[in-house]
Amino acid sequence: MNTTTLTTATVRERLHTLIVIDVRTPGEYAGGHLPGAHNIPLDELEHALPTLRETADRSDLLVVCASGARSQNASVTLSRNGIPAASLEGGTAAWASAGGDLHRPAATAAPKWAMDRQVRLTAGSVVLLGLLLGLVIHPAFQLLSVGIAAGLVYSALSNSCAMATLLGKLPYNRTDRTDLNATLAALRDN
């Protein structure tokens, strides 16, 4: 699939002409998103395809996430369904690092951890647990660490992350569940 990636400089120049779709979890989105971004979590993208197709006929779509990996996956899914969309290189992290403004809903009490931070904490904890249990109880527990290491290598090679998908389903990441119908209605009216 041929997908387009835009730099933060290009997005800064064109932001007023783009419809921004943020595919992170609602909690991550609430922690800070590009101005005017609409939250359609990656796991709900399939349900939004008809509206996104209509929206793409009216304006260019930009798909964003935390670091660019999920938005690249979303761009591939959209492309497979005949919907042209670009992805922001480096995601919202690159946008913020370049001095871009991040909007936060007023009702956000405390920012939630970004998904990549949650993955690092979980992976590191399981690796340490496997090593500790391997030393204290039985060496076979070190296979936990091996499994996480293999998963991280596969994640890097495939540009996907099963752990992020699983963590995204936890109640902590679902408490501020996006109202997909309201988001799709806003896109139709846009």
Side-chain angles (χ1 to χ4, degrees), residues 21 38-40 44-52 54-55 58 178-190:
I21 306 299
H38 300 274
N39 186 217
I40 301 177
E44 296 187 27
L45 192 64
E46 294 285 334
H47 301 294
L49 290 176
T51 301
L52 291 173
E54 294 170 15
T55 304
R58 294 189 312 271
T178 188
D179 183 352
L180 185 60
N181 290 331
T183 301
L184 297 178
L187 283 171
R188 285 186 209 101
D189 295 339
N190 204 352

Side-chain angles (χ1 to χ4, degrees), residues 107-125:
T108 303
K112 300 201 173 143
W113 282 14
M115 187 57 65
D116 64 320
R117 187 175 180 192
Q118 293 180 49
V119 167
R120 290 192 312 263
L121 175 70
T122 304
S125 298

